[in-house]
Amino acid sequence: IGLIILNLIIYITLNINYLNIISHKKNIILINSIRDVYNIYYKVNINDIEKKFNIKKEPKGNEIKSTINIGFTLDNNYVLETMLTVASILASQEKTTKINLHFGVTNNFQIENMIKMYELRNKINNLSEFNFYYLKDSNLKMKNFHPKGEACPGKFELPILLPDNIERLIIFDAGDLLVLRDLTELYNYDMEEYWALGTPEPILIYSFMTVKYNMTKYLNIGSILLNVKKLKQNDFWNIYTQNRNITLEGQPDQTLFNILIPDDKKNYLPFKFGGFSLFINDKNYDSLMFEAFRFKEWLNSNLSITLPEKPNSEKEIIMQLYAPKFFHQFSGKWEKGEGLSIYRYLAKYFILIAGIENELCLKKPGYCI
């Protein structure tokens, strides 16, 4: 019996090692193939390469009822934060929703990071595509424009890099945004003649920039639905790069976007699709910020008849948020373990799903407290 058990252990060990070697070889082939395609064409669809090597089977057509396109821009410094938000997207969509993820990345972005992010698909949701695009113009034309690098203004280069059959794109920030429910309704929302629909930017809405440029709507570009077709038709990316020398305050990429998009070409998404939650604890300051948010105008607008009661304070807004599609907050306080505890609770859940607990918690322990 002992000999049989010993032989069985050896057999299992050899097979596990064999499978690991095969898996490792496939991974090396995938990495080398991605590198070859990416270096020639400056973009790559990893799913297509998988199909070439018979690593992935294409889902049957009747499994897909809706398709959504979601974009991120990043460099090597924000891979883990992006994986957190992507994990929340993949884990929260209906099984019949196909998710096409489009990543605009800086010219030094590592192929290994593409693989690391792509492995999320196998853990969570196989009905998705991962596309990476090299932000060439951002690197050349927007250098030193934003303190966090070229990936930030690259949000508006990404739309012109997409195939012509993609007419709209959800752009999300990474790390301070979690998706809680299927995004199909948000993605297909009627944009009419709008170039962009989004959520209000809380802090800068009443800044002198809005007065100077006579803006009535100021969108936060960390949670926004872009009309790709309209932006391409109006050559928005070239207009954006040509006006980079405008003197700006706050987040320059966001402010420039709001200045250049005419007020009648942008609007707020319905309140039900998501909201902001403050990390401020001072009640007087909260009240002041609530007024500055123009939340009242947002809630009373034709696009926002979604709450049974109109809240009178920021706290009531959070309490009355029902079934939000996503949850967008500021990241600075969460990294230090401050802010709304429910956000950290939700973040920890998606961190575990993504398999990045040790790495991200070491980098930003506030998420894991």
Side-chain angles (χ1 to χ4, degrees):
I1 294 174
L3 186 61
I4 292 173
I5 293 174
L6 179 62
N7 286 331
L8 184 61
I9 291 171
I10 293 172
Y11 175 79
I12 292 172
T13 303
L14 289 174
N15 274 276
I16 290 174
N17 288 335
Y18 174 74
L19 291 173
N20 286 336
I21 291 169
I22 295 296
S23 176
H24 181 66
K25 283 184 177 179
K26 282 185 176 180
N27 205 37
I28 291 174
I29 290 171
L30 191 58
I31 289 175
N32 289 335
S33 299
I34 289 169
R35 183 177 285 111
D36 290 342
V37 173
Y38 192 60
N39 287 340
I40 295 171
Y41 299 105
Y42 301 107
K43 63 182 179 180
V44 60
N45 181 315
I46 300 182
N47 298 61
D48 287 344
I49 294 175
E50 269 199 325
K51 293 172 199 170
K52 180 180 176 182
F53 292 101
N54 297 316
I55 299 174
K56 180 195 175 199
K57 293 181 180 180
E58 185 66 13
K60 296 178 182 178
N62 58 8
E63 293 180 12
I64 302 172
K65 292 184 179 179
S66 60
T67 300
I68 57 177
N69 292 282
I70 302 173
F72 295 86
T73 54
L74 70 156
D75 56 27
N76 290 307
N77 296 315
Y78 288 92
V79 175
L80 294 173
E81 292 86 344
T82 303
M83 289 176 71
L84 166 59
T85 301
V86 169
S88 74
I89 292 171
L90 297 181
S92 61
Q93 304 310 290
E94 298 291 340
K95 292 181 179 179
T96 55
T97 300
K98 182 178 181 183
I99 309 146
N100 294 331
L101 291 164
H102 305 275
F103 302 98
V105 297
T106 53
N107 63 337
N108 63 342
F109 195 76
Q110 297 172 3
I111 304 296
E112 289 74 14
N113 281 332
M114 292 185 189
I115 295 293
K116 181 187 289 187
M117 293 172 62
Y118 186 66
E119 287 173 350
L120 281 176
R121 193 212 64 190
N122 296 327
K123 293 179 184 177
I124 306 171
N125 187 321
N126 285 317
L127 202 60
S128 59
E129 283 192 10
F130 279 56
N131 303 275
F132 291 84
Y133 308 81
Y134 172 35
L135 298 169
K136 292 185 289 183
D137 270 3
S138 294
N139 182 54
L140 295 171
K141 297 180 180 179
M142 304 303 285
K143 197 172 183 65
N144 301 322
F145 175 75
H146 195 286
K148 290 188 177 179
E150 292 79 41
C152 292
K155 281 185 172 77
F156 309 116
E157 181 186 1
L158 182 57
I160 70 168
L161 301 176
L162 300 179
D164 289 338
N165 65 329
I166 297 177
E167 296 188 353
R168 53 177 63 199
L169 179 72
I170 299 172
I171 290 283
F172 278 149
D173 272 352
D176 69 339
L177 190 148
L178 297 178
V179 175
L180 309 179
R181 288 173 177 79
D182 191 83
L183 294 168
T184 302
E185 182 186 6
L186 185 156
Y187 181 76
N188 292 318
Y189 196 79
D190 184 8
M191 298 191 77
E192 298 179 358
E193 294 300 309
Y194 294 120
W195 298 5
L197 297 174
T199 45
E201 162 55 38
I203 293 177
L204 295 178
I205 195 87
Y206 268 162
S207 73
F208 82 88
M209 298 298 288
T210 60
V211 176
K212 180 179 178 181
Y213 291 98
N214 196 29
M215 280 187 274
T216 61
K217 296 181 179 68
Y218 194 106
L219 305 183
N220 186 297
I221 62 172
S223 49
I224 196 166
L225 176 61
L226 295 178
N227 190 331
V228 173
K229 185 177 180 179
K230 293 288 184 183
L231 293 179
K232 284 183 177 180
Q233 287 175 348
N234 290 277
D235 201 21
F236 181 73
W237 173 239
N238 279 333
I239 294 171
Y240 191 84
T241 57
Q242 289 167 10
N243 285 277
R244 61 156 290 168
N245 293 322
I246 294 177
T247 302
L248 305 171
E249 70 164 9
Q251 298 293 328
D253 55 336
Q254 179 166 276
T255 303
L256 185 59
F257 169 81
N258 277 280
I259 290 170
L260 296 177
I261 298 281
D263 266 12
D264 63 344
K265 300 300 180 185
K266 60 187 175 185
N267 210 335
Y268 299 135
L269 283 165
F271 186 71
K272 66 178 178 179
F273 286 137
F276 290 90
S277 174
L278 291 180
F279 50 72
I280 305 295
N281 293 318
D282 186 315
K283 291 183 179 179
N284 293 327
Y285 191 75
D286 278 349
S287 176
L288 173 65
M289 292 304 292
F290 174 76
E291 294 297 327
F293 280 14
R294 292 188 180 171
F295 267 127
K296 291 180 180 178
E297 289 93 329
W298 187 18
L299 293 170
N300 290 324
S301 69
N302 291 331
L303 286 177
S304 306
I305 306 172
T306 56
L307 291 180
E309 297 178 22
K310 302 304 183 193
N312 296 308
S313 68
E314 188 267 342
K315 182 178 179 181
E316 285 186 40
I317 288 178
I318 301 304
M319 297 302 292
Q320 291 192 35
L321 261 178
Y322 68 98
K325 304 297 182 186
F326 63 88
F327 201 40
H328 189 189
Q329 305 186 36
F330 300 112
S331 61
K333 292 285 181 176
W334 311 123
E335 297 170 15
K336 301 175 183 177
E338 302 173 29
L340 198 65
S341 60
I342 189 172
Y343 179 83
R344 292 195 301 280
Y345 177 81
L346 293 169
K348 284 171 70 174
Y349 172 73
F350 293 117
I351 288 169
L352 289 172
I353 287 179
I356 54 175
E357 183 178 18
N358 292 335
E359 293 174 282
L360 188 59
C361 294
L362 183 64
K363 183 178 179 182
K364 295 186 175 180
Y367 281 122
C368 305
I369 292 175

